Amino acid sequence: MNWLPLSILAYLLLAAEPAARGLLRLGSADPGVWPMLAFVLVVHVALVASGQAALWTALIVGAAFDLLFVRVGPSTTFALVGPGAVGFVAAAYFVTTLRGMVARNSLFALAAVCVPAAAIAGLVAVVLLEVRSWFDPDMGPFPAGSELWARLGCALYTGATAFAVGWVIRLLSPLLGLGDGHGRRSGRFG
Amino acid sequence: MISRGPAHASRRRWLLLAVAGMVLLALLPARFTGFLNWFANRATDLTSPIHAPIHALASWIKPAAPALSPDSPQTAQLLAEIDQWKRQVFLLQDDLRRLRAQSAALQRLTDLNIQLATRQITAPVIGVQPDFAQTLLKVRAGSAHGVTDRAVAVFQAVHLVGQVRGVSDRTCMVLPLTDRGAGRLQAVIFTNERLAPRPGAAGGALDADSSPTTDSPIVADQLGGSRLVAALEPTGRGTLRGPVGPDDAPGATAATAIPEVGMIARLRDDRYPRDSWMLIVGVVERVDLQPSGRAVVTVRPMFVPDRLGELTLRLPADPAAP
């Protein structure tokens, strides 16, 4: 896996993420539903790269993802790093355990795997945020139920957009050192 | 079987440590993780070059408000000026009522406060941060331009957008008033001020297929009508909702009227600087009468916050001023 091209692609997807949220958002109520572009890259890497590389990619992209979205509490505005990163790692781990059963060079497989993986990432993030809200007054009220539903909606939306994003990623796969999508190893930590 | 050496085990150990660190960061209260703000600001700076053009494209595809009619730009400009002057009149009227109820000394102090000049800077919105928790507008103006936390953001000079919540050197974040995190807002509704009725619509009432926009004309049949006070809370659906009561401010006339659809809600909240009072919060789009007889209004701003291409920040003219 070539880390430099992968980093550049991750940067482009992460930078496009906030604006794409505004453009592709569904629903007028808060929280709305939008696709997670960079997450598709994480799932693709988890499908075709070695387990360690997949988990590290998920961790780094997840942490960068967290840094892009500051939170406003009752008394302060703060960056919250962790929920996205841990959620992405959990999702990548899920994909690495599952990938032996799917056709990894198929866009349909990528889209299909994105949905449960994004749901897992969302679930982990909501659990961490809920726990944090118990003792951190700066979090303010945390509507865990509605946020979980929104994240499940995002998971479906991410799966739908994975066709387009995945197509671009697969075009660049040789450049990224990810082969043709068949992957080199099938073990979880291979 | 593939043999895995100590290097593999070491990498795995580092990975587990990194994940544990992320869990710790996720759970640590915000007061211990202030250093992360520096990284977040750098991440914002790094992604802005990509973010801004995409947001500009998005704003072009989904504009904040319909463009002014190309065949009558002068009319639209005049209507905007009328709104500005009307706001000035309401502001002065409110000041007059309050000043009559105060002692001479307080009048003098308050008068000094009212004269506090504001400086306005117009800055582009370079991105929207719609998150599960809140929607923030990322604006290309920061502490280097004199922007301070809690500065008031407006659209087209008279429409309240929200408050600055988080400032870095070159950018700041604006929390729209419709976001659930913005909290309760005190507004005043003038019973004699409402949207001008559209041709064919009855009594200025709103209908489902035509939401008011910032270029919708507002008419006031006479100045000095009775006022109602509303405690509005964001609903999370782009509106604010809350109960309405009579204005009990000193000097205000008692109002027995109930609010009506199409009336205009204006800011009058102690948490905002006084020079921001009477900015337009939105238009009453729904009135519900409770069994107790009390009215609950739903107010919708006349623009969509996350479609704004630019906004204006109201700052103290003297940065050293409170």
Side-chain angles (χ1 to χ4, degrees):
Chain A
M1 193 161 76
N2 297 330
W3 284 99
L4 182 62
L6 184 74
S7 304
I8 293 171
L9 181 60
Y11 162 73
L12 291 173
L13 289 172
L14 284 166
E17 187 93 29
R21 283 188 178 192
L23 185 63
L24 302 175
R25 175 180 173 150
L26 292 181
S28 58
D30 283 338
V33 173
W34 47 76
M36 297 185 288
L37 305 181
F39 186 77
V40 181
L41 176 64
V42 169
V43 171
H44 176 76
V45 171
L47 274 175
V48 299
S50 72
Q52 287 260 359
L55 296 179
W56 274 112
T57 303
L59 185 80
I60 294 166
V61 173
F65 189 86
D66 284 335
L67 281 173
L68 285 178
F69 301 105
V70 296
R71 299 180 77 89
V72 175
S75 59
T76 183
T77 303
F78 59 98
L80 176 49
V81 176
V86 179
F88 278 27
V89 170
Y93 183 80
F94 165 75
V95 176
T96 56
T97 59
L98 188 77
R99 63 187 181 181
M101 293 184 279
V102 298
R104 286 184 257 166
N105 59 342
S106 160
L107 273 180
F108 287 97
L110 175 68
V113 171
C114 268
V115 177
I120 288 171
L123 180 67
V124 169
V126 168
V127 167
L128 285 170
L129 291 168
E130 171 67 13
V131 171
R132 183 189 176 113
S133 71
W134 293 344
F135 54 83
D136 185 7
D138 288 320
M139 275 287 288
F142 179 68
S146 66
E147 181 147 343
L148 185 58
W149 278 113
R151 285 180 188 262
L152 292 179
C154 286
L156 288 171
Y157 201 174
T158 302
T161 50
F163 287 103
V165 181
W167 182 74
V168 174
I169 294 172
R170 277 168 198 273
L171 278 182
L172 300 172
S173 274
L175 195 64
L176 303 175
L178 295 174
D180 58 359
H182 286 281
R184 293 176 301 228
R185 298 182 184 177
S186 58
R188 273 182 288 174
F189 298 101
Chain B
M1 184 172 171
I2 299 169
S3 110
R4 290 164 179 164
H8 176 86
S10 169
R11 282 200 302 271
R12 189 175 177 186
R13 214 168 17 247
W14 277 112
L15 180 63
L16 288 173
L17 272 174
V19 172
M22 287 293 162
V23 172
L24 187 66
L25 282 176
L27 297 178
L28 270 179
R31 62 180 180 278
F32 298 121
T33 57
F35 66 94
L36 290 174
N37 292 337
W38 185 87
F39 291 101
N41 288 336
R42 300 292 81 75
T44 299
D45 294 343
L46 276 173
T47 54
S48 288
I50 303 286
H51 195 165
I54 296 177
H55 180 72
L57 176 69
S59 298
W60 179 71
I61 294 171
K62 294 181 179 177
L68 295 176
S69 174
D71 55 349
S72 60
Q74 289 85 1
T75 308
Q77 189 179 352
L78 286 172
L79 287 171
E81 284 181 15
I82 289 171
D83 280 350
Q84 288 231 42
W85 283 114
K86 200 185 299 169
R87 179 184 163 264
Q88 292 287 339
V89 170
F90 284 132
L91 187 60
L92 290 170
Q93 201 174 42
D94 198 68
D95 288 340
L96 187 62
R97 285 198 177 97
R98 186 176 44 79
L99 288 170
R100 278 178 181 160
Q102 291 177 337
S103 69
L106 281 176
Q107 278 182 10
R108 187 175 180 79
L109 284 175
T110 309
D111 187 56
L112 287 172
N113 187 32
I114 289 167
Q115 298 307 320
L116 179 68
T118 56
R119 183 166 60 93
Q120 301 196 12
I121 57 170
T122 300
V125 177
I126 57 172
V128 179
Q129 178 191 299
D131 203 358
F132 298 101
Q134 66 271 310
T135 298
L136 290 171
L137 306 178
K138 192 183 296 178
V139 180
R140 191 183 288 153
S143 53
H145 307 91
V147 179
T148 54
D149 206 30
R150 307 278 171 170
V152 175
V154 296
F155 179 55
Q156 289 188 357
V158 292
H159 295 272
L160 176 66
V161 175
Q163 274 188 307
V164 171
R165 302 289 288 271
V167 187
S168 66
D169 292 347
R170 300 281 164 193
T171 60
C172 66
M173 295 288 194
V174 172
L175 181 66
L177 71 160
T178 50
D179 192 275
R180 282 183 299 183
R184 180 174 288 189
L185 183 88
Q186 296 289 337
V188 62
I189 297 171
F190 291 83
T191 57
N192 65 336
E193 185 193 29
R194 65 187 63 228
L195 282 179
R198 291 185 307 105
L206 304 178
D207 48 29
D209 60 347
S210 66
S211 297
T213 61
T214 50
D215 56 340
S216 302
I218 298 168
V219 295
D221 49 6
Q222 64 174 43
L223 295 175
S226 55
R227 296 183 300 178
L228 301 162
V229 172
L232 302 173
E233 284 203 62
T235 61
R237 294 185 293 277
T239 57
L240 301 110
R241 190 167 191 271
V244 174
D247 186 10
D248 55 0
T253 54
T256 54
I258 60 169
E260 294 173 17
V261 171
M263 287 180 174
I264 305 298
R266 290 177 179 271
L267 177 71
R268 200 185 71 186
D269 192 309
D270 288 330
R271 291 174 307 163
Y272 283 77
R274 276 201 57 82
D275 55 52
S276 302
W277 286 18
M278 299 301 149
L279 288 169
I280 295 176
V281 174
V283 59
V284 176
E285 73 165 15
R286 181 186 167 112
V287 180
D288 298 309
L289 280 178
Q290 292 181 329
S292 62
R294 193 165 200 195
V296 175
V297 294
T298 302
V299 174
R300 182 178 291 279
M302 294 157 77
F303 57 89
V304 183
D306 54 6
R307 303 270 179 267
L308 295 176
E310 67 174 23
L311 48 73
T312 303
L313 298 167
R314 297 168 60 89
L315 311 169
D318 175 10

